[in-house]
Short mmCIF file of all heavy atoms in Angstrom, two decimals:
data_model
loop_
_atom_site.label_atom_id
_atom_site.label_comp_id
_atom_site.label_asym_id
_atom_site.label_seq_id
_atom_site.Cartn_x
_atom_site.Cartn_y
_atom_site.Cartn_z
N PRO A 100 -14.06 17.38 -3.47
CA PRO A 100 -12.88 16.72 -2.92
C PRO A 100 -11.60 17.52 -3.19
O PRO A 100 -11.49 18.23 -4.18
CB PRO A 100 -12.84 15.38 -3.67
CG PRO A 100 -13.55 15.66 -4.95
CD PRO A 100 -14.59 16.70 -4.65
N LYS A 101 -10.64 17.38 -2.28
CA LYS A 101 -9.35 18.02 -2.47
C LYS A 101 -8.47 17.10 -3.31
O LYS A 101 -8.46 15.89 -3.11
CB LYS A 101 -8.68 18.26 -1.12
CG LYS A 101 -9.32 19.36 -0.33
CD LYS A 101 -8.72 19.57 1.05
CE LYS A 101 -7.25 19.38 1.14
NZ LYS A 101 -6.70 19.69 2.48
N PRO A 102 -7.73 17.66 -4.26
CA PRO A 102 -6.80 16.84 -5.03
C PRO A 102 -5.72 16.26 -4.12
O PRO A 102 -5.34 16.87 -3.12
CB PRO A 102 -6.19 17.81 -6.04
CG PRO A 102 -7.02 19.04 -5.98
CD PRO A 102 -7.73 19.05 -4.68
N ILE A 103 -5.23 15.08 -4.48
CA ILE A 103 -4.19 14.40 -3.71
C ILE A 103 -2.86 14.54 -4.46
O ILE A 103 -2.80 14.34 -5.67
CB ILE A 103 -4.55 12.92 -3.51
CG1 ILE A 103 -5.86 12.81 -2.75
CG2 ILE A 103 -3.43 12.19 -2.77
CD1 ILE A 103 -6.42 11.41 -2.67
N ASP A 104 -1.82 14.87 -3.72
CA ASP A 104 -0.48 15.03 -4.28
C ASP A 104 0.31 13.74 -4.02
O ASP A 104 0.52 13.37 -2.87
CB ASP A 104 0.21 16.22 -3.61
CG ASP A 104 1.55 16.57 -4.25
OD1 ASP A 104 2.05 15.78 -5.08
OD2 ASP A 104 2.09 17.64 -3.91
N TYR A 105 0.73 13.06 -5.08
CA TYR A 105 1.45 11.80 -4.96
C TYR A 105 2.96 11.97 -5.10
O TYR A 105 3.68 10.99 -5.12
CB TYR A 105 0.93 10.79 -5.99
CG TYR A 105 -0.43 10.26 -5.60
CD1 TYR A 105 -1.59 10.88 -6.04
CD2 TYR A 105 -0.54 9.18 -4.74
CE1 TYR A 105 -2.83 10.41 -5.64
CE2 TYR A 105 -1.78 8.71 -4.34
CZ TYR A 105 -2.92 9.33 -4.80
OH TYR A 105 -4.15 8.86 -4.39
N ARG A 106 3.41 13.21 -5.19
CA ARG A 106 4.85 13.45 -5.31
C ARG A 106 5.54 13.27 -3.95
O ARG A 106 4.90 13.33 -2.92
CB ARG A 106 5.09 14.86 -5.85
CG ARG A 106 4.54 15.04 -7.26
CD ARG A 106 4.61 16.44 -7.71
NE ARG A 106 3.75 17.26 -6.84
CZ ARG A 106 3.57 18.55 -6.96
NH1 ARG A 106 4.19 19.21 -7.91
NH2 ARG A 106 2.79 19.21 -6.14
N ARG A 107 6.84 13.00 -4.00
CA ARG A 107 7.68 12.84 -2.81
C ARG A 107 7.28 11.66 -1.94
O ARG A 107 7.40 11.69 -0.72
CB ARG A 107 7.73 14.12 -1.99
CG ARG A 107 8.45 15.23 -2.75
CD ARG A 107 8.35 16.57 -2.07
NE ARG A 107 8.92 17.65 -2.83
CZ ARG A 107 8.44 18.13 -3.96
NH1 ARG A 107 7.37 17.61 -4.51
NH2 ARG A 107 9.02 19.13 -4.58
N MET A 108 6.78 10.60 -2.59
CA MET A 108 6.43 9.36 -1.88
C MET A 108 7.27 8.18 -2.37
O MET A 108 6.98 7.04 -2.05
CB MET A 108 4.95 9.05 -2.09
CG MET A 108 4.02 10.04 -1.47
SD MET A 108 2.33 9.52 -1.71
CE MET A 108 1.47 10.76 -0.80
N GLY A 109 8.29 8.47 -3.19
CA GLY A 109 9.15 7.41 -3.70
C GLY A 109 8.67 6.77 -4.99
O GLY A 109 9.29 5.83 -5.48
N LEU A 110 7.58 7.28 -5.56
CA LEU A 110 7.02 6.66 -6.76
C LEU A 110 7.86 6.95 -8.00
O LEU A 110 8.04 6.07 -8.85
CB LEU A 110 5.57 7.13 -6.96
CG LEU A 110 4.63 6.74 -5.82
CD1 LEU A 110 3.26 7.39 -6.02
CD2 LEU A 110 4.51 5.25 -5.66
N GLY A 111 8.41 8.15 -8.12
CA GLY A 111 9.29 8.46 -9.24
C GLY A 111 10.55 7.60 -9.20
O GLY A 111 11.02 7.12 -10.23
N THR A 112 11.07 7.39 -8.00
CA THR A 112 12.24 6.52 -7.84
C THR A 112 11.92 5.12 -8.31
O THR A 112 12.72 4.49 -9.01
CB THR A 112 12.71 6.52 -6.37
OG1 THR A 112 13.13 7.85 -6.04
CG2 THR A 112 13.83 5.53 -6.14
N HIS A 113 10.74 4.63 -7.94
CA HIS A 113 10.37 3.29 -8.41
C HIS A 113 10.31 3.22 -9.94
O HIS A 113 10.81 2.28 -10.54
CB HIS A 113 9.03 2.83 -7.84
CG HIS A 113 8.61 1.56 -8.51
ND1 HIS A 113 9.25 0.37 -8.28
CD2 HIS A 113 7.72 1.34 -9.48
CE1 HIS A 113 8.72 -0.55 -9.08
NE2 HIS A 113 7.79 0.01 -9.81
N LEU A 114 9.70 4.22 -10.57
CA LEU A 114 9.61 4.22 -12.03
C LEU A 114 10.99 4.27 -12.67
O LEU A 114 11.25 3.56 -13.66
CB LEU A 114 8.74 5.38 -12.52
CG LEU A 114 7.25 5.25 -12.23
CD1 LEU A 114 6.52 6.54 -12.62
CD2 LEU A 114 6.64 4.06 -12.97
N LEU A 115 11.90 5.07 -12.12
CA LEU A 115 13.26 5.13 -12.66
C LEU A 115 13.96 3.78 -12.48
O LEU A 115 14.60 3.28 -13.41
CB LEU A 115 14.06 6.24 -11.97
CG LEU A 115 15.49 6.41 -12.45
CD1 LEU A 115 15.53 6.78 -13.94
CD2 LEU A 115 16.21 7.46 -11.62
N GLN A 116 13.84 3.16 -11.31
CA GLN A 116 14.45 1.86 -11.08
C GLN A 116 13.86 0.80 -12.00
O GLN A 116 14.57 -0.10 -12.46
CB GLN A 116 14.31 1.45 -9.61
CG GLN A 116 15.16 2.31 -8.71
CD GLN A 116 14.89 2.07 -7.24
OE1 GLN A 116 13.87 1.49 -6.84
NE2 GLN A 116 15.79 2.55 -6.39
N PHE A 117 12.57 0.90 -12.30
CA PHE A 117 11.93 -0.03 -13.22
C PHE A 117 12.52 0.13 -14.62
O PHE A 117 12.82 -0.86 -15.30
CB PHE A 117 10.41 0.22 -13.25
CG PHE A 117 9.69 -0.68 -14.19
CD1 PHE A 117 9.46 -2.01 -13.87
CD2 PHE A 117 9.25 -0.21 -15.41
CE1 PHE A 117 8.79 -2.85 -14.75
CE2 PHE A 117 8.59 -1.03 -16.30
CZ PHE A 117 8.36 -2.36 -15.97
N ALA A 118 12.73 1.38 -15.06
CA ALA A 118 13.34 1.63 -16.37
C ALA A 118 14.75 1.05 -16.44
O ALA A 118 15.13 0.43 -17.44
CB ALA A 118 13.35 3.13 -16.68
N ILE A 119 15.51 1.23 -15.37
CA ILE A 119 16.88 0.69 -15.33
C ILE A 119 16.85 -0.83 -15.38
O ILE A 119 17.62 -1.46 -16.13
CB ILE A 119 17.63 1.21 -14.07
CG1 ILE A 119 17.84 2.73 -14.17
CG2 ILE A 119 18.95 0.48 -13.89
CD1 ILE A 119 18.32 3.37 -12.88
N LYS A 120 15.95 -1.44 -14.63
CA LYS A 120 15.83 -2.90 -14.62
C LYS A 120 15.47 -3.43 -16.01
O LYS A 120 16.07 -4.39 -16.51
CB LYS A 120 14.76 -3.32 -13.61
CG LYS A 120 14.49 -4.80 -13.56
CD LYS A 120 13.35 -5.09 -12.61
CE LYS A 120 12.91 -6.54 -12.73
NZ LYS A 120 11.73 -6.81 -11.91
N LYS A 121 14.49 -2.81 -16.66
CA LYS A 121 14.08 -3.23 -18.00
C LYS A 121 15.23 -3.06 -19.00
O LYS A 121 15.45 -3.91 -19.84
CB LYS A 121 12.85 -2.46 -18.48
CG LYS A 121 11.55 -2.96 -17.92
CD LYS A 121 11.30 -4.36 -18.40
CE LYS A 121 9.91 -4.81 -18.08
NZ LYS A 121 9.68 -6.21 -18.41
N ALA A 122 15.93 -1.93 -18.90
CA ALA A 122 17.05 -1.68 -19.81
C ALA A 122 18.10 -2.78 -19.68
O ALA A 122 18.62 -3.28 -20.70
CB ALA A 122 17.66 -0.30 -19.52
N ARG A 123 18.41 -3.17 -18.46
CA ARG A 123 19.39 -4.25 -18.26
C ARG A 123 18.88 -5.56 -18.84
O ARG A 123 19.63 -6.30 -19.47
CB ARG A 123 19.69 -4.39 -16.77
CG ARG A 123 20.60 -3.29 -16.27
CD ARG A 123 21.14 -3.58 -14.87
NE ARG A 123 22.20 -2.63 -14.57
CZ ARG A 123 22.16 -1.77 -13.57
NH1 ARG A 123 21.12 -1.74 -12.76
NH2 ARG A 123 23.16 -0.94 -13.37
N GLN A 124 17.59 -5.86 -18.64
CA GLN A 124 17.01 -7.09 -19.19
C GLN A 124 17.11 -7.11 -20.71
O GLN A 124 17.30 -8.16 -21.30
CB GLN A 124 15.54 -7.24 -18.77
CG GLN A 124 15.34 -7.60 -17.34
CD GLN A 124 13.87 -7.59 -16.94
OE1 GLN A 124 12.99 -7.15 -17.68
NE2 GLN A 124 13.58 -8.08 -15.74
N TRP A 125 16.98 -5.96 -21.33
CA TRP A 125 16.99 -5.87 -22.80
C TRP A 125 18.40 -5.71 -23.37
O TRP A 125 18.57 -5.58 -24.58
CB TRP A 125 16.12 -4.71 -23.26
CG TRP A 125 14.66 -4.88 -22.99
CD1 TRP A 125 13.98 -6.05 -22.81
CD2 TRP A 125 13.69 -3.85 -22.85
NE1 TRP A 125 12.65 -5.81 -22.57
CE2 TRP A 125 12.45 -4.45 -22.59
CE3 TRP A 125 13.75 -2.46 -22.92
CZ2 TRP A 125 11.29 -3.73 -22.41
CZ3 TRP A 125 12.59 -1.74 -22.73
CH2 TRP A 125 11.38 -2.37 -22.48
N GLY A 126 19.41 -5.68 -22.51
CA GLY A 126 20.78 -5.53 -23.00
C GLY A 126 21.15 -4.12 -23.42
O GLY A 126 22.09 -3.91 -24.18
N ILE A 127 20.43 -3.13 -22.90
CA ILE A 127 20.70 -1.72 -23.20
C ILE A 127 22.01 -1.33 -22.54
O ILE A 127 22.29 -1.70 -21.40
CB ILE A 127 19.55 -0.83 -22.69
CG1 ILE A 127 18.23 -1.23 -23.33
CG2 ILE A 127 19.86 0.65 -22.85
CD1 ILE A 127 18.13 -0.98 -24.79
N LYS A 128 22.82 -0.54 -23.25
CA LYS A 128 24.12 -0.13 -22.74
C LYS A 128 24.10 1.24 -22.06
O LYS A 128 24.96 1.55 -21.26
CB LYS A 128 25.15 -0.13 -23.88
CG LYS A 128 25.42 -1.52 -24.41
CD LYS A 128 26.46 -1.48 -25.50
CE LYS A 128 26.94 -2.82 -25.89
NZ LYS A 128 26.28 -3.61 -26.78
N GLN A 129 23.11 2.08 -22.41
CA GLN A 129 23.08 3.43 -21.86
C GLN A 129 21.64 3.92 -21.75
O GLN A 129 20.82 3.68 -22.64
CB GLN A 129 23.87 4.39 -22.76
CG GLN A 129 23.89 5.81 -22.25
CD GLN A 129 24.49 6.79 -23.23
OE1 GLN A 129 24.50 6.56 -24.43
NE2 GLN A 129 25.00 7.90 -22.72
N ILE A 130 21.36 4.61 -20.66
CA ILE A 130 20.09 5.33 -20.49
C ILE A 130 20.45 6.81 -20.50
O ILE A 130 21.41 7.23 -19.83
CB ILE A 130 19.40 4.96 -19.17
CG1 ILE A 130 19.07 3.47 -19.13
CG2 ILE A 130 18.13 5.80 -18.99
CD1 ILE A 130 18.49 3.01 -17.81
N TYR A 131 19.70 7.59 -21.26
CA TYR A 131 19.99 9.02 -21.30
C TYR A 131 18.69 9.80 -21.38
O TYR A 131 17.62 9.25 -21.59
CB TYR A 131 20.91 9.37 -22.48
CG TYR A 131 20.26 9.27 -23.84
CD1 TYR A 131 19.79 10.41 -24.49
CD2 TYR A 131 20.10 8.05 -24.47
CE1 TYR A 131 19.19 10.32 -25.73
CE2 TYR A 131 19.50 7.95 -25.71
CZ TYR A 131 19.04 9.09 -26.33
OH TYR A 131 18.44 8.99 -27.56
N GLY A 132 18.80 11.11 -21.19
CA GLY A 132 17.63 11.96 -21.27
C GLY A 132 18.03 13.42 -21.26
O GLY A 132 19.22 13.75 -21.26
N SER A 133 17.03 14.28 -21.24
CA SER A 133 17.24 15.73 -21.30
C SER A 133 16.44 16.39 -20.17
O SER A 133 15.31 16.00 -19.91
CB SER A 133 16.72 16.27 -22.63
OG SER A 133 17.36 15.63 -23.71
N LEU A 134 17.05 17.37 -19.55
CA LEU A 134 16.35 18.18 -18.56
C LEU A 134 16.24 19.60 -19.09
O LEU A 134 17.24 20.20 -19.47
CB LEU A 134 17.10 18.18 -17.23
CG LEU A 134 17.30 16.82 -16.56
CD1 LEU A 134 18.04 16.98 -15.24
CD2 LEU A 134 15.98 16.11 -16.35
#
Side-chain angles (χ1 to χ4, degrees):
K101 287 177 37 176
I103 300 171
D104 187 350
Y105 286 92
R106 296 172 297 180
R107 293 172 185 69
M108 294 182 176
L110 299 173
T112 296
H113 171 71
L114 289 173
L115 180 62
Q116 290 172 344
F117 179 76
I119 294 168
K120 176 184 170 185
K121 280 296 190 186
R123 284 192 169 118
Q124 287 174 351
W125 294 336
I127 300 293
K128 294 182 170 83
Q129 180 188 25
I130 299 175
Y131 71 100
S133 303
L134 300 181

